[in-house]
């Protein structure tokens, strides 16, 4: 009975009271009446349950990771970035070849189909909209006509999945950053009705105060997609983002490339949409505003305040796009290595990498029309496959299961991981963690590694542990202004509450000057990022890729072996989604 009495007392009324103390109290009450008992003096605080003893990795892991070699990493990159794959554009022949090749490779490595219906593929439809814009976009400003030239001054695409998108005699309104963020007491719209207008908006988010929008670290508010989503939500007809390299995080050449050719999306489902999302260069916008009697710098200065209100510019415009629509199918490829623990095998460490790239340039006169996407992201796919090989090489399966999700259509807006997250093969609460690979370190061995998403979860400690074994330090996003956490597939896993990181190259290279690493990465980005020249070349150095793959393997194995799953940092923007996902589990 005693035991019973004690347990009931403790658990129902004072869950935090330690068993030992409750026993004393009940005994007292039974023996001598209420008044006589005083709590024993100087009691230690109730002990929280002893921390689970971490399950360390043994020699089996060391032996298994030896399968991760430069040759094993190079082969899939050479395969998938070959011209024969045509740049792996979504829904293309190259896309289908990639999917087939991935299924063969995962089968050969020893994985099983990962979808509940026993298949490898998670197919979904996407709609490609290719817009034919007029060579000139005309504006009426200050009684004059101002013309912007397609490609050189502006790019635009269709916001609707219809054969025609159009803006007619719409007025331009400058809306600063175009952000509504109640948590920062920031509202660039102040109740202004912008329906039917064309918004002129700055990219990025306020970056001058660490307390405001986390200073230089770009939040989702600072992403171009947020600008268009907000404009659509408020009923605008169109939105023009002013391009500057610092506020975009890349040159206008990337905008030109990414916004030419078919733009793929998941099929429209009645959500609000603008007719025409567009970009102009800073110079073109300066020219246009000056014709209307406005100064861009003065407008931007006025936007750096909570008191900012939208500025009608007195400039009007019309634009019509004729669109070619194509509805195609692509697919995520999902494989599983079933875990060994009766209970924990129903939980998964999921590795992700996008298998798609930009396909072929629509410019038929171009010398090299194929976006081979060797670094972006055949290299990420290859690292994940190499880790899969290491898991399959273990004499005993890890306790939790290992899932590999090669997601599609990332370049079109993280579409594959978005579809996966909305239709997960297992409940979101069963994912212990997501480790995403996008790109790779092709410049040699470094003394550090970058964790995109550092500071957001207990995954940091895991990476620090195993990077430490490699005598490497773990650094947060080295380009926080670029908003990388929101620019690759881990973002969609995080959105459904899965603690997620993107393991990226460090910048502090062995036997190199301190700045050498950043210079190499920035030089590569300026020349090859999203360009046909992103190809596998002999200059690639493999030590760093091997080390980053071994690191990812050891981190995932460690997570798969622990009693408890990783957690978000208390108060993190994705913590609530995690709690909801765990609460939803049966
Ligand atoms: Zn990528």
């Amino acid at each position: 009975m005693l035991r019973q009495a004690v347990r009931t007392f403790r658990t129902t009324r004072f869950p935090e009271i330690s068993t030992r103390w409750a026993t004393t109290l009940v005994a007292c009450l039974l023996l001598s009446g209420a008044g006589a008992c005083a709590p024993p003096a100087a009691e230690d605080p109730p002990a929280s349950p002893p921390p689970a003893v971490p399950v360390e990795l043994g020699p089996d892991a060391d032996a298994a990771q030896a399968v991760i070699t430069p040759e094993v990493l190079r082969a899939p990159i050479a395969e998938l970035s070959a011209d024969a794959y045509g740049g792996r554009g979504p829904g293309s022949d190259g896309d289908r070849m990639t999917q087939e090749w991935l299924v063969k490779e995962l089968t050969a490595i020893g994985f099983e189909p990962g979808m509940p219906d026993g298949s490898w593929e998670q197919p979904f439809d996407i709609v490609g909209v290719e817009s034919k814009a007029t060579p000139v976009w005309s504006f009426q400003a200050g009684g004059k006509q101002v013309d912007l030239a397609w490609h050189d001054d502006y790019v635009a695409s269709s916001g609707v999945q219809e054969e025609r998108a159009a803006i007619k005699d719409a007025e331009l309104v400058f809306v600063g950053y175009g952000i509504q963020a109640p948590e920062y007491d920031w509202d660039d719209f102040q109740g202004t009705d912008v329906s039917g207008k064309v918004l002129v908006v700055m990219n990025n988010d306020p970056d001058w105060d660490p307390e405001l929008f986390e200073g230089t670290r770009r939040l989702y508010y600072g992403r171009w997609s947020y600008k268009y989503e907000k404009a659509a939500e408020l009923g605008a007809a169109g939105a023009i983002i002013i391009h500057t390299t610092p506020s975009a995080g890349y040159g206008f050449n990337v905008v030109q490339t990414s916004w030419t050719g078919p733009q793929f999306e998941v099929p429209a489902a009645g959500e609000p949409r603008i007719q025409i999302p567009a970009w102009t260069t800073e110079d073109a916008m300066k020219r246009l505003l000056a014709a209307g009697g406005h100064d861009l710098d003065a407008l931007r200065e006025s936007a750096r305040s909570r008191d900012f209100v939208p500025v009608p510019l007195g400039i009007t415009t019309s634009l019509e796009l004729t669109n070619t629509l194509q509805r195609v199918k692509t697919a995520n490829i999902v494989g599983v290595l079933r875990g060994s623990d009766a209970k924990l095998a129903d939980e998964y460490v999921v590795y992700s990498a996008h298998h798609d790239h930009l396909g072929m340039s629509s410019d038929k006169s171009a010398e090299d029309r194929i976006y081979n996407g060797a670094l972006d992201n055949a290299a990420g796919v290859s690292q994940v496959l190499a880790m899969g090989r290491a898991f399959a090489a273990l004499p005993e399966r890890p306790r939790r299961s290992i899932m590999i999700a090669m997601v599609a259509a990332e370049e079109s807006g993280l579409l594959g991981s978005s579809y996966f997250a909305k239709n997960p093969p297992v409940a979101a609460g069963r994912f212990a963690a997501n480790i995403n690979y996008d790109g790779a370190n092709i410049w040699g061995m470094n003394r550090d590694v970058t964790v995109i998403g550092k500071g957001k979860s207990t995954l940091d400690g895991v990476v620090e542990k195993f990077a430490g074994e490699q005598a490497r330090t773990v650094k947060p996003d080295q380009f926080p202004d670029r908003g990388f956490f929101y620019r690759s597939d881990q973002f969609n896993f995080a959105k459904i509450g899965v603690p997620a990181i993107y393991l990226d190259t460090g910048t502090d290279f062995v036997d190199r000057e301190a700045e050498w690493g950043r210079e190499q990465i920035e030089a590569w980005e300026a020349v090859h990022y999203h360009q046909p020249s992103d190809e596998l070349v002999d200059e690639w150095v493999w030590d760093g890729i091997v080390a980053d793959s071994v690191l990812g393997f050891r981190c995932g194995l460690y997570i798969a072996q622990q009693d408890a799953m990783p957690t978000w940092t208390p108060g993190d923007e994705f913590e609530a989604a995690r709690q909801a996902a765990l609460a939803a589990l049966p």
Side-chain angles (χ1 to χ4, degrees):
M1 181 177 69
L2 189 54
R3 182 179 307 287
Q4 182 49 36
V6 168
R7 188 176 304 125
T8 338
F9 186 95
R10 170 163 173 255
T11 48
T12 48
R13 301 198 48 202
F14 301 101
E16 70 282 359
I17 293 183
S18 73
T19 319
R20 187 158 63 79
W21 202 86
T23 320
T24 327
L25 180 62
V26 168
C28 277
L29 285 174
L30 288 174
L31 294 172
S32 60
C37 289
E43 271 281 333
D44 297 337
S48 50
V53 179
V55 180
E56 295 302 339
L57 304 190
D60 290 350
D62 306 343
Q65 72 194 39
V67 302
I68 300 175
T69 63
E71 297 69 37
V72 156
L73 284 159
R74 191 181 191 289
I77 300 171
E79 175 75 26
L80 296 174
S81 68
D83 283 357
Y85 284 78
R88 309 186 304 278
S92 67
D93 293 345
D95 183 14
R96 275 180 292 285
M97 283 168 65
T98 303
Q99 293 166 34
E100 283 154 20
W101 186 84
L102 287 171
V103 167
K104 252 190 327 188
E105 195 67 7
L106 285 167
T107 308
I109 290 172
F111 275 61
E112 296 157 36
M115 295 306 295
D117 64 359
S119 68
W120 294 94
E121 296 83 6
Q122 183 182 40
F124 60 97
D125 283 2
I126 51 177
V127 175
V129 184
E130 182 154 11
S131 306
K132 195 157 176 9
T134 52
V136 163
W137 185 1
S138 303
F139 297 79
Q140 308 313 317
K144 298 184 290 292
Q145 175 163 315
V146 177
D147 291 340
L148 300 186
W150 166 256
H151 206 255
D152 298 342
D153 293 333
Y154 86 96
V155 294
S157 72
S158 174
V160 291
Q161 296 174 1
E162 288 148 28
E163 275 157 17
R164 187 177 157 278
I167 292 170
K168 188 107 187 62
D169 301 329
E171 182 184 10
L172 271 58
V173 178
F174 177 71
V175 295
Y177 290 97
I179 295 173
Q180 291 183 314
E183 71 274 34
Y184 293 110
D185 184 22
W186 189 279
D187 179 356
D188 283 319
F189 294 90
Q190 306 277 347
T192 305
D193 177 7
V194 295
S195 55
K197 307 290 185 187
V198 172
L199 309 187
V200 175
V201 59
M202 296 156 64
N203 205 348
N204 204 357
D205 51 58
D207 58 0
W208 57 86
D209 170 359
E211 300 304 311
L212 186 61
F213 294 93
E214 297 191 30
T216 57
R217 197 166 87 80
R218 184 190 302 254
L219 300 179
Y220 187 65
Y221 293 115
R223 289 282 295 151
W224 58 265
S225 45
Y226 171 85
K227 313 292 178 180
Y228 295 137
E229 286 159 11
K230 180 53 67 176
E233 183 195 317
L234 298 176
I240 303 172
I241 295 177
I242 307 162
H243 175 272
T244 66
T245 296
S247 71
Y250 40 72
F252 195 64
N253 63 328
V254 173
V255 177
Q256 290 166 325
T257 301
S258 304
W259 288 65
T260 310
Q263 304 293 310
F264 286 96
E265 295 180 313
V266 290
E271 63 282 339
R273 285 171 171 266
I274 54 179
Q275 286 287 310
I276 298 179
W279 297 72
T280 67
T281 63
E282 184 178 29
D283 288 350
M285 186 52 73
K286 274 194 171 162
R287 216 165 354 111
L288 174 56
L289 291 172
H294 300 280
D295 172 53
L296 178 56
D297 293 331
L299 285 171
R300 286 193 285 212
E301 191 50 39
S302 72
R304 295 164 62 88
S305 152
R306 281 196 175 83
D307 306 328
F308 169 81
V309 288
V311 181
L313 296 167
I315 297 170
T316 58
T317 189
S318 301
L319 180 65
E320 181 161 336
L321 304 178
T322 41
N323 303 325
T324 313
L325 301 175
Q326 52 171 316
R327 189 178 181 113
V328 295
K329 210 173 266 312
T330 185
N332 299 324
I333 301 298
V334 182
V336 161
L337 202 69
R338 187 93 188 141
S340 59
D341 183 285
K343 184 170 160 296
L344 297 185
D346 287 339
E347 294 174 358
Y348 296 76
V349 175
V350 55
Y351 290 91
S352 57
H354 71 90
H355 65 68
D356 67 298
H357 196 51
L358 298 169
M360 309 268 286
S361 161
S362 52
D363 173 3
K364 302 218 170 11
S365 66
E367 200 186 312
D368 177 356
R369 294 183 57 210
I370 299 177
Y371 294 96
N372 298 75
L375 192 76
D376 187 7
N377 188 31
V381 166
S382 178
Q383 289 173 91
V384 170
L385 288 171
M387 289 180 265
R389 272 178 195 281
F391 279 105
L394 288 166
E396 195 194 338
R397 293 281 177 84
R399 298 170 74 197
R400 287 189 174 85
S401 298
I402 304 299
M403 182 179 284
I404 286 180
M406 300 298 191
V407 291
E410 185 268 359
E411 304 291 5
S412 306
L414 316 182
L415 302 183
S417 59
S418 167
Y419 188 84
F420 182 99
K422 289 188 181 114
N423 309 278
V426 299
R430 294 202 184 287
F431 288 116
N434 165 240
I435 302 178
N436 185 53
Y437 278 75
D438 196 346
N441 165 14
I442 58 172
W443 299 282
M445 194 53 205
N446 41 24
R447 284 179 283 259
D448 58 353
V449 63
T450 298
V451 169
I452 308 284
K454 189 170 188 299
K456 298 175 76 65
S457 76
T458 58
L459 291 173
D460 295 357
V462 178
V463 181
E464 274 146 12
K465 178 182 172 68
F466 294 106
E469 288 179 350
Q470 299 176 325
R472 296 206 279 173
T473 57
V474 177
K475 296 205 178 125
D477 188 349
Q478 314 265 314
F479 306 88
D481 60 316
R482 310 273 172 88
F484 284 129
F485 192 83
Y486 309 101
R487 284 176 55 180
S488 192
D489 296 301
Q490 71 285 340
F491 180 33
N492 282 315
F493 285 91
K495 274 190 193 171
I496 58 171
V498 181
I501 53 171
Y502 162 5
L503 264 182
D504 196 12
T505 179
T507 56
D508 177 10
F509 285 81
V510 174
D511 303 332
R512 299 289 187 180
E513 301 298 310
E515 273 311 299
W516 185 86
R518 277 183 85 89
E519 287 157 10
Q520 298 305 309
I521 294 167
E522 293 193 329
W524 187 91
E525 278 195 359
V527 178
H528 302 298
Y529 175 62
H530 282 190
Q531 304 304 319
S533 57
D534 173 3
E535 293 172 341
L536 173 59
V537 291
D538 296 341
E539 289 72 28
W540 284 28
V541 182
W542 298 86
D543 319 38
I545 305 184
V546 169
D548 289 348
S549 307
V550 166
L551 178 60
F553 163 67
R554 295 180 74 80
C555 290
L557 179 55
Y558 184 81
I559 295 163
Q561 303 294 57
Q562 306 314 309
D563 292 346
M565 293 199 281
T567 56
W568 290 100
T569 304
D572 184 87
E573 60 191 319
F574 300 110
E575 189 191 20
R578 184 61 162 178
Q579 284 156 354
L582 294 174
L585 289 176

